[in-house]
């Protein structure tokens, strides 16, 4: 959980005291040993600017839950890890 908070701040500049562990899984069990952890950060607040490593390229933008679902539907979000994490996050998201 500590590394999830650290990565959130480094890669986005946002901080959260309300981080939920969703699941962990192999990225591609048949081809790779890469193991992923999925977390959901709620009640985030901007506390600083991004601090990326020289080989990291992360661009983020703010959107609500329904907008993320629309991005999936439009084909902008295609990876199964993001789709899986989004599905797991449904129980924590309050939709208006």
């Amino acid at each position: 959980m500590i590394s999830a908070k650290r990565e959130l701040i480094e890669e986005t500049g946002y901080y959260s005291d309300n981080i939920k562990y969703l699941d962990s899984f192999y990225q591609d069990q048949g081809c790779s040993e890469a193991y992923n952890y999925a977390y959901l950060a709620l009640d985030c607040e901007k506390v600083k600017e991004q601090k990326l490593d020289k080989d990291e390229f992360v661009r983020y933008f703010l959107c609500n839950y329904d907008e993320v679902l629309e991005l999936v539907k439009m084909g902008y979000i295609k990876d199964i890890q993001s789709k899986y994490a989004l599905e797991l996050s449904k129980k924590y998201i309050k939709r208006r």
Side-chain angles (χ1 to χ4, degrees):
M1 186 83 65
I2 293 171
S3 49
K5 285 184 177 186
R6 183 188 68 242
E7 288 297 316
L8 177 65
I9 290 174
E10 286 178 8
E11 295 188 2
T12 68
Y14 281 83
Y15 175 80
S16 174
D17 259 338
N18 189 4
I19 295 182
K20 307 292 185 191
Y21 168 79
L22 299 175
D23 199 4
S24 56
F25 49 89
Y26 284 101
Q27 184 170 316
D28 186 351
Q29 193 168 358
C31 300
S32 171
E33 293 181 16
Y35 200 70
N36 293 291
Y37 296 86
Y39 292 91
L40 173 65
L42 300 166
D43 306 318
C44 297
E45 64 179 271
K46 184 80 168 173
V47 295
K48 58 174 63 175
E49 296 303 313
Q50 284 178 300
K51 187 177 178 187
L52 301 175
D53 294 337
K54 63 181 176 181
D55 61 344
E56 286 183 309
F57 303 95
V58 177
R59 279 185 41 192
Y60 69 89
F61 59 94
L62 302 179
C63 58
N64 65 36
Y65 186 76
D66 290 326
E67 290 168 333
V68 172
L69 294 179
E70 185 64 24
L71 291 172
V72 171
K73 186 175 164 183
M74 293 170 62
Y76 287 101
I77 298 175
K78 297 180 180 186
D79 66 285
I80 195 63
Q81 294 94 333
S82 295
K83 290 179 178 182
Y84 180 55
L86 183 59
E87 183 65 30
L88 293 172
S89 71
K90 284 182 180 180
K91 67 181 177 181
Y92 298 105
I93 303 293
K94 294 177 183 167
R95 296 179 76 185
R96 298 178 208 268

